[in-house]
């Protein structure tokens, strides 16, 4: 059997080997091929990392052997010797995952030094100060990264020495000072570790490689991966690279530069450097670096060489690059290059400009912006300076992005009162319920102690484009006393707080916000997306205001209009409650007749807002008890309004109580029990269409009616008959005709298995992946947040399946239903309207399985347009 190759010299890798060699290793290989000045080295692959994790944090003899051979090769390449005093080879050991995770993992520099080698280095370079400085840096890094001794303890020793020597900067230490520092570091090490600091360079090397692999699993890296959807199983590669020294005096230095400005996208070299310093000094902020433009003045040749290489790298990798460099005695080396992180504004500017400069194709330009990034362009943002100064008091789930600042309120009434008085509020609740909707509408954002990413608060927030931080476990709410407690402090009604819905951060103060700017590039870029994508993008909208907003963002129709949200308004809820508590059909119909004109009016407004774009109206879905009050005062008031006794009302409420309402009397089951409900909703839809058509004869959209929670074709058949009867009757009476569509949501696992038969009855399917996820996993969408963390911590799941489609499980059901449905009806229209419709990796999946459209909340429409375009670029249909 061929041996696995775990170690590659840089000359053996190239940019196509990112998965195996990591981004840094692959790029260093490519730069070597391009003939750039790279300190040579080798890469230990991600497969070695996988081996390490699968084998109890141990390497195999084979891996050790391959590393030893690579080290010998490197000695030959550099003409230096590892551990040799006369001509020492020193190396750096650095992480390099498939995608860059800046600052998340560990690095060790100047490896290969001990008392003998350092003396040799001092002599060979004629620069003892440099040699001893390098050694003390190595001891610090190794102790921290490999042995876990806190950096701060070493800093304390340095500070003490500065004090006794009355110096301010590291630059003023002499070689003798560093020698003493080394002794003190080692003494400290011995005291803490009960052994001597390792002198053997090979021991240092394997210890460091081990530590870098281990750092893949540190909390920082785990958090970053979760935030950026990077799978744990990818692992990291390790790069061992021969050292070049920026700390050899005034003709040496080190720096970092971006080929374009990462904040604005401006096409101008942007970066900074330090003379006589090593890499970590630039990041650590001990000395203030100079802007890269200064380098042009003090080392013009080096500057121009660097600027040319930077342009070459950008052209080669077809993206803005973030480059690390070192100057050693007037000679330039590149240490690494990677695609630079950038703000959303910069991402758009760079993509558009690079295309217009003729450097990249339109497809490539579309791949240079991450869909999720667009989000920050759509919501108000904190002023970045003000945010830096603010103090974080807690954290919840980043449920709906945006920046909100306002005064604390605890209920809808307080919210309305404050807003009427011209104040901005943040609604703080244990959890929100549909009853809070009015209060939510007027708030800047919501903060809840419970609930996950698809909790009511989160879904509603995203729908409204409001900021929401949900599920803040450390928040204790004392509603009766009128305050909440967080981070040891009490916050009362009217106190100012701020929420960052993109990170989940909570601040106990007012932070000013600035409105989102949408530059001209944004529109241009979005139009390119539309040229390329196959998927249509619709929106989930329940009001004409949301519909207009979504249209503004580029929605091509409504994929889900949840009709129940219309009934929660204070002037409608009573009629709704009257319908629910009615004990005869007559009473129910009477109440429904009160709701009819309101619903018809809403539909007319929505149809008109969407113009000729299609609108899918979904019939009533939630369990009815959600509409009933729980507060005794409200029950008392309702009993008066409805003219029933409190006892009668309470007995109706307890009759409607269900142990498992999500699996209870909801969805199409309601219209099966009460056909008059489907009748009324049909009348509202069809009459709204008739009225719009009468006002505007050029109106071409056809109403689409959608039945929720169907699990059997007979359910759909039953309700369809009611709809057709009512619709045809109304159209005939008005002497009009329209090819209205009747379709169903596919959100019960059984429906996916019976899709062929259901398709016989349906004009379209729309996947309700919220319920489908809930029922496939058997996880309550409202409660799963409370235990999913344990799943992440134990690596059972890496992401929230309610936010990002579980392609293996739920996705398989979607795929099956598409196949079966189209077998039943080849021209069946297929869409998705669950929350996954706005999530990029899920959108890629929906593109691949051949859906016609995705539907998402208005503020995610631009994200979906870009994600759909990227999916079309990656997978041609
Ligand atoms: C769904 O279940 O995915 C869906 C869109 O319906 P709702 O969220 O209203 O249950
Ligand atoms: Mg549903």
């Amino acid at each position: 059997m061929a041996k696995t190759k775990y170690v590659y010299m840089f000359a053996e890798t190239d940019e196509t080997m990112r998965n195996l060699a990591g981004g840094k290793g692959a790029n260093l290989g490519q730069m070597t091929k391009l003939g750039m000045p790279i300190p040579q080295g080798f890469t230990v692959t991600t497969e070695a990392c996988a081996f390490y994790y699968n084998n109890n944090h141990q390497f195999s003899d084979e891996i050790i052997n391959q590393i030893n051979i690579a080290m010998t090769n490197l000695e030959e390449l550099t003409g230096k010797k590892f551990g040799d005093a006369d001509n020492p080879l020193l190396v750096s050991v650095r992480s390099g995952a498939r995608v860059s995770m800046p600052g998340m993992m560990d690095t060790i520099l100047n490896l290969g030094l001990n008392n003998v080698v350092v003396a040799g280095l001092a002599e060979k370079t004629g620069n003892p100060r440099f040699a001893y400085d390098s050694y003390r840096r190595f001891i610090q890094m190794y102790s921290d990264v490999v042995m876990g001794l806190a950096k701060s303890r070493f800093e304390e020793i340095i500070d003490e020495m500065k004090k006794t020597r009355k110096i301010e900067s590291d630059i003023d230490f002499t070689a003798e000072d560093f020698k003493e520092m080394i002794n003190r570091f080692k003494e400290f090490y011995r005291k803490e570790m009960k052994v001597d600091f390792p002198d053997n360079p090979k021991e240092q090397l394997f210890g460091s490689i081990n530590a870098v692999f281990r750092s893949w699993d540190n909390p920082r890296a785990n958090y970053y991966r979760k935030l950026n959807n990077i799978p744990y199983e990818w692992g990291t590669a390790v790069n061992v690279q021969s050292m070049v020294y920026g700390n050899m005096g005034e003709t040496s230095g080190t720096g970092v530069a971006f080929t374009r400005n990462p904040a604005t996208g401006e096409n101008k070299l942007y970066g900074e450097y330090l003379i006589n310093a090593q890499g970590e000094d630039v990041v650590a902020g001990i000395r203030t670096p100079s802007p890269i433009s200064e380098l042009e003045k003090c080392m013009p040749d080096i500057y121009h060489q660097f600027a040319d290489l930077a342009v070459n790298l950008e052209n080669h990798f077809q993206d803005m690059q973030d480059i690390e460099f070192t100057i050693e005695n007037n000679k330039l080396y590149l240490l690494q290059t990677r695609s630079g992180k950038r703000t959303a504004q910069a991402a758009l500017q760079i993509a558009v400009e690079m295309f217009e400069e003729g450097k990249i194709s339109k497809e490539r330009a579309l791949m240079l912006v991450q869909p999720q990034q667009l989000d920050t362009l759509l919501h108000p943002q904190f002023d970045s300076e003000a945010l830096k100064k603010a103090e974080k008091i807690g954290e919840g789930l980043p449920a709906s992005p945006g920046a909100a600042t306002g005064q604390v309120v605890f209920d809808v009434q307080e919210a309305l009162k404050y807003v009427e008085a011209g104040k901005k509020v943040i609604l703080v609740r244990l959890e929100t319920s549909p009853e809070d909707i009015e209060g939510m509408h007027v708030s800047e954002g919501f903060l809840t102690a419970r609930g996950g990413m698809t909790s009511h608060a989160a879904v509603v927030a995203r729908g409204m484009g409001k900021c929401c931080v949900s599920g803040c476990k450390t928040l204790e709410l004392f509603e009766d006393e009128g305050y909440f407690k967080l981070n040891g402090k009490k916050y009362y009604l009217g106190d100012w707080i701020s929420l960052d819905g993109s990170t989940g951060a909570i601040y106990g103060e007012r932070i000013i916000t600035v409105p989102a700017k949408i530059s001209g590039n944004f529109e241009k870029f979005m139009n390119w997306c539309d040229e390329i994508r196959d998927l249509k993008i619709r929106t989930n909208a329940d009001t004409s205001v949301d519909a207009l907003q979504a249209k503004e963002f580029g929605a091509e129709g409504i994929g889900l209009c949840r009709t129940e949200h219309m009934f929660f308004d204070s002037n409608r809820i009573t009629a709704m409650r009257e319908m629910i508590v009615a004990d005869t059909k007559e009473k129910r119909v009477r109440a429904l007749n009160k709701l009819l004109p309101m619903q018809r009016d809403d539909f007319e407004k929505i149809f008109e807002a969407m113009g000729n774009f299609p609108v899918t109206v979904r019939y009533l879905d939630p369990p009815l008890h959600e509409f009933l009050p729980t507060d005794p005062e409200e029950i008392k008031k309702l009993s008066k309004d409805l003219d029933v006794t409190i006892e009668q009302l309470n007995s109706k409420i307890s009759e409607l109580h269900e142990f498992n309402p999500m699996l209870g009397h909801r969805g199409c089951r309601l219209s099966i029990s009460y056909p008059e409900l489907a009748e009324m909703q049909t009348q509202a839809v069809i009459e709204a269409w008739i009225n719009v058509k009468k006002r505007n004869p050029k109106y071409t959209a056809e109403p689409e009616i959608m039945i929720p929670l169907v699990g059997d074709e007979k359910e759909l058949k039953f309700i369809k008959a009611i709809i057709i009867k009512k619709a045809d009757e109304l159209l005939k009476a008005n002497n009009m005709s329209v090819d209205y569509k009747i379709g169903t949501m596919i959100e019960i696992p059984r429906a996916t298995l019976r899709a062929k038969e259901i398709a016989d009855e349906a004009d379209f399917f729309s996947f309700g992946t919220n319920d489908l996820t809930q029922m496939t996993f058997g996880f309550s969408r409202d409660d799963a947040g409370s235990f999913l963390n344990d799943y992440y911590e134990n690596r059972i799941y890496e992401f929230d399946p309610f936010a990002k489609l579980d392609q293996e499980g739920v996705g398989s059901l979607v795929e099956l239903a598409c196949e079966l449905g189209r077998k039943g009806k080849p021209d069946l229209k297929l869409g998705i309207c669950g929350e996954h419709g706005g999530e990029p990796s899920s959108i890629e999946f929906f593109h691949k399985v051949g859906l016609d459209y995705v539907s998402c909340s208005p503020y995610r429409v631009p994200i979906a347009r870009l994600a759909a375009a990227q999916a079309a670029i990656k997978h041609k249909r």
Side-chain angles (χ1 to χ4, degrees):
M1 205 175 77
K3 276 189 204 148
T4 307
K5 187 167 166 62
Y6 288 109
V7 182
Y8 289 78
M9 302 307 291
F10 289 166
E12 294 177 303
T13 58
D14 62 43
E15 61 187 315
T16 62
M17 293 171 70
R18 186 166 284 272
N19 293 0
L20 188 63
K24 191 180 295 168
N27 285 0
L28 282 166
Q30 191 62 40
M31 291 158 92
T32 302
K33 285 213 163 50
L34 293 170
M36 293 189 169
I38 309 300
Q40 284 303 298
F42 57 86
T43 303
V44 187
T45 65
T46 53
E47 281 180 2
C49 182
F51 184 97
Y52 170 87
Y53 276 101
N54 292 333
N55 288 279
N56 216 6
H57 295 197
Q58 300 290 324
F59 301 122
S60 63
D61 290 347
E62 181 55 34
I63 296 175
I64 293 172
N65 189 31
Q66 290 189 24
I67 292 173
N68 282 327
I69 293 172
M71 209 59 203
T72 310
N73 286 342
L74 188 59
E75 288 176 336
E76 275 168 27
L77 274 175
T78 55
K80 297 179 180 175
K81 251 187 137 31
F82 195 46
D84 183 72
D86 294 334
N87 189 16
L89 169 64
L90 302 193
V91 295
S92 65
V93 175
R94 306 175 76 181
S95 62
R98 214 188 275 196
V99 291
S100 75
M101 297 169 45
M104 294 302 130
M105 287 180 285
D106 292 326
T107 290
I108 295 147
L109 304 179
N110 307 327
L111 191 148
L113 285 169
N114 54 32
N115 279 346
V116 182
V117 177
V118 75
L121 185 69
E123 194 169 321
K124 183 169 186 308
T125 57
N127 190 342
R129 186 188 179 283
F130 148 75
Y132 290 99
D133 180 27
S134 301
Y135 192 23
R136 67 94 189 177
R137 286 169 188 269
F138 170 64
I139 297 171
Q140 260 173 287
M141 280 195 181
Y142 189 93
S143 304
D144 168 33
V145 172
V146 182
M147 309 312 290
L149 286 180
K151 256 192 243 153
S152 54
R153 309 288 295 273
F154 292 91
E155 295 298 339
E156 281 165 25
I157 296 176
I158 297 176
D159 285 344
E160 274 168 32
M161 287 185 60
K162 276 186 191 163
K163 246 189 226 147
T164 51
R165 282 162 179 71
K166 300 197 172 47
I167 56 173
E168 286 201 350
S169 166
D170 291 8
I171 275 286
D172 302 322
F173 280 125
T174 63
E176 288 309 308
D177 292 337
F178 284 131
K179 276 188 198 169
E180 186 187 328
M181 197 183 284
I182 288 163
N183 287 336
R184 291 185 61 175
F185 281 180
K186 285 186 173 177
E187 216 173 278
F188 172 67
Y189 184 97
R190 198 177 307 117
K191 204 170 118 230
E192 292 293 312
M193 306 306 301
K194 314 278 182 261
V195 284
D196 285 336
F197 187 83
D199 275 341
N200 181 339
K202 278 282 166 73
E203 183 186 342
Q204 296 171 356
L205 177 68
F206 284 101
S208 300
I209 296 176
N210 195 306
V212 173
F213 278 149
R214 198 173 60 214
S215 70
W216 175 253
D217 200 20
N218 73 30
R220 218 168 52 235
N222 281 324
Y223 184 78
Y224 185 90
R225 270 197 301 278
K226 190 140 172 278
L227 216 59
N228 291 281
N229 281 326
I230 301 171
Y232 180 79
E233 68 196 32
W234 280 3
T236 182
V238 172
N239 297 291
V240 178
Q241 190 172 23
S242 55
M243 284 297 301
V244 284
Y245 308 98
N247 55 338
M248 285 188 84
E250 293 307 303
T251 55
S252 301
T254 188
V256 181
F258 294 82
T259 55
R260 300 181 189 231
N261 186 316
T264 64
E266 188 193 3
N267 185 6
K268 193 172 158 209
L269 206 53
Y270 176 95
E272 41 194 27
Y273 72 102
L274 273 173
I275 288 294
N276 197 10
Q278 271 199 337
E280 77 271 19
D281 298 339
V282 181
V283 202
I286 306 167
R287 285 159 56 198
T288 311
S290 313
I292 193 90
S293 50
E294 292 278 313
L295 191 65
E296 188 171 12
K297 290 179 212 140
C298 69
M299 292 185 179
D301 291 346
I302 296 278
Y303 175 84
H304 290 295
Q305 187 195 355
F306 178 74
D308 289 347
L309 286 168
V311 170
N312 289 348
L313 283 172
E314 181 180 280
N315 289 348
H316 180 84
F317 289 105
Q318 302 208 327
D319 192 7
M320 182 265 263
Q321 296 294 295
D322 163 0
I323 307 164
E324 279 181 30
F325 64 93
T326 285
I327 304 157
E328 180 185 289
N329 288 330
N330 275 324
K331 184 165 168 26
L332 174 69
Y333 292 93
L334 303 184
L335 302 188
Q336 71 159 318
T337 190
R338 59 185 171 197
S339 288
K341 303 269 176 236
R342 64 204 78 174
T343 65
Q345 260 102 351
L348 282 176
Q349 169 87 8
I350 290 167
V352 168
E353 244 182 37
M354 284 185 75
F355 170 73
E356 288 177 346
E357 288 160 5
K359 288 192 164 185
I360 54 172
S361 67
K362 206 176 263 186
E363 281 80 2
R364 175 69 188 160
L366 290 179
M367 297 308 290
L368 291 187
V369 181
Q370 289 169 13
Q372 216 61 59
Q373 271 193 305
L374 295 179
D375 202 51
T376 57
L377 299 172
L378 304 170
H379 301 272
Q381 290 302 302
F382 289 126
D383 178 71
S384 54
E385 284 308 307
L387 188 62
K388 265 187 222 152
K389 289 182 204 136
E391 193 202 340
K392 192 164 110 178
I393 55 164
E395 199 171 79
L397 297 169
S400 181
T405 194
Q407 290 173 272
V408 171
V409 293
F410 295 103
D411 67 37
V412 177
Q413 293 317 319
E414 285 168 3
L416 293 172
K417 215 164 76 198
Y418 266 67
V419 171
E420 251 167 50
K423 296 175 178 168
K424 288 183 187 305
V425 298
I426 289 182
L427 184 61
V428 182
R429 304 282 280 158
L430 201 55
E431 57 200 334
T432 64
S433 83
E435 276 179 81
D436 297 328
I437 199 119
E438 266 186 287
M440 295 170 86
H441 242 307
V442 299
S443 304
E444 300 302 304
F446 336 128
L447 170 61
T448 70
R450 291 196 197 141
M453 298 290 281
T454 47
S455 63
H456 178 261
V459 172
V460 172
R462 283 197 291 271
M464 291 178 180
K466 299 249 173 172
C467 161
C468 172
V469 173
S470 66
C472 173
K473 287 205 190 110
T474 48
L475 188 151
E476 293 173 88
L477 190 61
F478 300 88
E479 243 171 314
D480 293 342
E481 291 84 355
Y483 68 88
F484 74 83
K485 211 167 148 191
L486 190 57
N487 203 24
K489 201 180 148 198
K490 291 176 181 172
Y491 294 85
Y492 290 89
L493 176 71
D495 284 350
W496 282 89
I497 60 166
S498 298
L499 307 176
D500 186 340
S502 310
T503 62
I506 305 159
Y507 301 88
E509 61 200 272
R510 180 180 195 171
I511 308 176
I512 49 169
T513 57
V514 287
K517 273 189 235 124
I518 297 180
S519 68
N521 286 331
F522 183 81
E523 200 183 345
K524 196 181 278 182
F525 186 85
M526 292 321 296
N527 289 340
W528 296 349
C529 295
D530 299 346
E531 286 169 24
I532 281 170
R533 65 187 159 88
D534 297 310
L535 281 170
K536 292 253 177 230
I537 311 297
R538 293 198 188 187
T539 191
N540 295 354
D542 316 329
T543 65
S544 55
V545 175
D546 289 352
L548 282 172
Q549 178 66 74
K551 211 166 85 171
E552 176 91 18
F553 286 152
E556 300 162 293
I558 291 181
L560 173 63
C561 175
R562 289 178 167 104
T563 52
E564 56 270 19
H565 290 169
M566 300 169 176
F567 296 131
F568 283 108
D569 268 15
S570 50
N571 57 344
R572 300 175 177 196
I573 188 86
T574 312
M576 185 65 186
R577 287 168 172 170
E578 183 183 336
M579 190 279 287
I580 294 168
V581 302
D583 48 13
T584 66
K585 182 169 174 177
E586 286 66 35
K587 283 187 192 164
R588 208 160 26 246
V589 170
R590 207 180 311 137
L592 282 169
N593 282 337
K594 290 186 193 165
L595 293 171
L596 171 67
M598 306 179 202
Q599 182 136 81
R600 184 174 54 216
D601 193 47
D602 287 339
F603 291 151
E604 277 180 45
K605 289 200 181 96
I606 291 173
F607 290 169
E608 278 176 338
M610 286 316 280
N612 285 330
F613 285 128
V615 175
T616 306
V617 174
R618 195 225 8 225
Y619 282 8
L620 199 68
D621 183 51
L624 295 181
H625 78 93
E626 277 195 13
F627 296 91
L628 294 177
T630 47
D631 176 41
E633 278 306 306
E634 268 202 73
I635 294 176
K636 201 162 130 196
K637 181 173 175 299
L638 184 65
S639 83
K640 268 203 200 117
D641 289 346
L642 300 184
D643 198 20
V644 291
T645 65
I646 294 181
E647 291 69 36
Q648 279 171 319
L649 194 52
N650 275 330
S651 113
K652 188 71 196 177
I653 292 171
S654 58
E655 190 186 304
L656 282 170
H657 171 81
E658 291 177 301
F659 286 105
N660 212 337
M662 270 304 189
L663 298 178
H665 199 195
R666 58 173 286 223
C668 65
R669 298 156 202 168
L670 295 171
S671 291
I672 288 169
S673 303
Y674 311 123
E676 49 280 13
L677 193 58
E679 250 172 58
M680 183 283 278
Q681 293 205 282
T682 304
Q683 187 168 351
V685 172
I686 298 296
E687 286 183 348
W689 180 86
I690 290 173
N691 292 345
V692 173
K693 181 78 179 171
K694 280 184 178 164
R695 282 198 292 275
N696 174 14
K698 288 198 181 126
Y699 182 55
T700 57
E702 294 156 347
E704 297 179 350
I705 291 167
M706 179 157 77
I707 308 304
L709 230 67
V710 165
D712 191 291
E713 60 278 13
K714 289 198 267 327
E715 291 174 309
L716 182 58
K717 202 170 174 180
F718 179 90
I719 297 169
K720 209 172 125 181
I722 301 168
I723 297 169
I724 293 177
K725 184 165 175 289
K726 189 76 195 172
D728 289 355
E729 193 179 289
L730 292 167
L731 288 166
K732 199 165 162 216
N734 282 276
N735 214 4
M736 292 173 92
S737 73
V738 61
D739 190 13
Y740 59 86
K741 306 279 187 273
I742 302 173
T744 178
M745 295 194 67
I746 300 287
E747 52 185 343
I748 289 189
R750 189 177 193 278
T752 64
L753 304 172
R754 297 289 296 169
K756 184 165 173 290
E757 292 72 18
I758 294 174
D760 282 340
E761 298 295 333
D763 294 318
F764 63 88
F765 284 176
S766 179
F767 290 95
T769 46
N770 302 336
D771 272 310
L772 191 57
T773 299
Q774 166 166 266
M775 291 187 228
T776 302
F777 278 87
F779 286 171
S780 154
R781 57 197 270 194
D782 295 306
D783 303 321
S786 66
F787 57 79
L788 274 175
N789 257 337
D790 302 334
Y791 275 66
Y792 308 144
E793 269 166 29
N794 291 298
R795 299 203 190 297
I796 296 171
Y797 296 137
E798 284 194 56
F799 58 85
D800 179 351
F802 290 102
K804 184 173 155 190
L805 188 79
D806 154 46
Q807 297 183 13
E808 292 161 357
V810 178
S812 298
L813 290 178
V814 170
E815 206 170 351
L816 175 71
C818 290
E819 249 173 59
L820 292 177
R822 285 210 164 126
K823 217 178 253 175
K825 190 173 273 176
D827 61 347
L828 184 73
K829 192 153 60 170
L830 300 170
I832 176 262
C833 62
E835 283 299 293
H836 307 90
E839 193 282 317
S841 71
S842 313
I843 292 173
E844 184 175 335
F845 177 84
F846 297 132
H847 167 87
K848 283 201 284 189
V849 299
L851 295 197
D852 297 300
Y853 67 87
V854 298
S855 188
C856 58
S857 52
Y859 282 82
R860 296 218 278 180
V861 167
I863 296 169
R865 285 162 77 192
L866 174 55
Q870 293 187 343
I873 292 167
K874 285 200 223 161
H875 317 275
K876 293 259 176 286
R877 288 222 290 224

